[in-house]
Amino acid sequence: MTVDRGLLALLEAKPGKGDELADFLRQGRELAAAETGTVTWYAFRLSDTTYGIFDTFADEEGRQAHLNGRIPAALGEVAADLLASDPDIRMTDILAVK
């Protein structure tokens, strides 16, 4: 399997909502594990309010299935309460993998 594409989502929590966003992201692992087209899925924290998700995929079909899947839908349900702004979602090309 060649992993050649990804998604980077940067999330900015509202003041005082960082821990809740972190808990939400931890729960997202189960949803990601159920996605057959998602090769890897990482949730991370950059600061008290800045968080992110990075996923990798072997093909565009897997990436699109993820974008239309349960994690973005769940994020949409909590965004108004937890996020200070819309997620910054960027498609990436994977150049090298170890």
Side-chain angles (χ1 to χ4, degrees):
M1 176 183 315
T2 302
V3 174
D4 65 355
R5 61 204 73 209
L7 284 172
L8 174 65
L10 298 174
L11 311 169
E12 189 66 29
K14 288 182 176 178
K17 295 288 186 169
D19 289 341
E20 289 179 57
L21 182 55
D23 289 341
F24 170 82
L25 292 174
R26 286 184 191 99
Q27 294 169 9
R29 188 205 170 281
E30 287 183 36
L31 298 176
E35 295 178 343
T36 58
T38 301
V39 177
T40 60
W41 185 88
Y42 303 91
F44 58 90
R45 175 179 27 228
L46 296 172
S47 73
D48 288 343
T49 59
T50 305
Y51 292 77
I53 301 169
F54 181 69
D55 326 81
T56 63
F57 310 91
D59 56 35
E60 189 60 29
E61 183 177 290
R63 181 161 58 185
Q64 291 303 315
H66 176 77
L67 283 168
N68 295 310
R70 293 177 61 199
I71 294 172
L75 183 58
E77 292 175 12
V78 300
D81 183 46
L82 299 182
L83 300 183
S85 59
D86 289 339
D88 178 6
I89 300 172
R90 303 175 188 195
M91 293 194 187
T92 66
D93 294 326
I94 306 298
L95 303 178
V97 176
K98 176 184 180 226

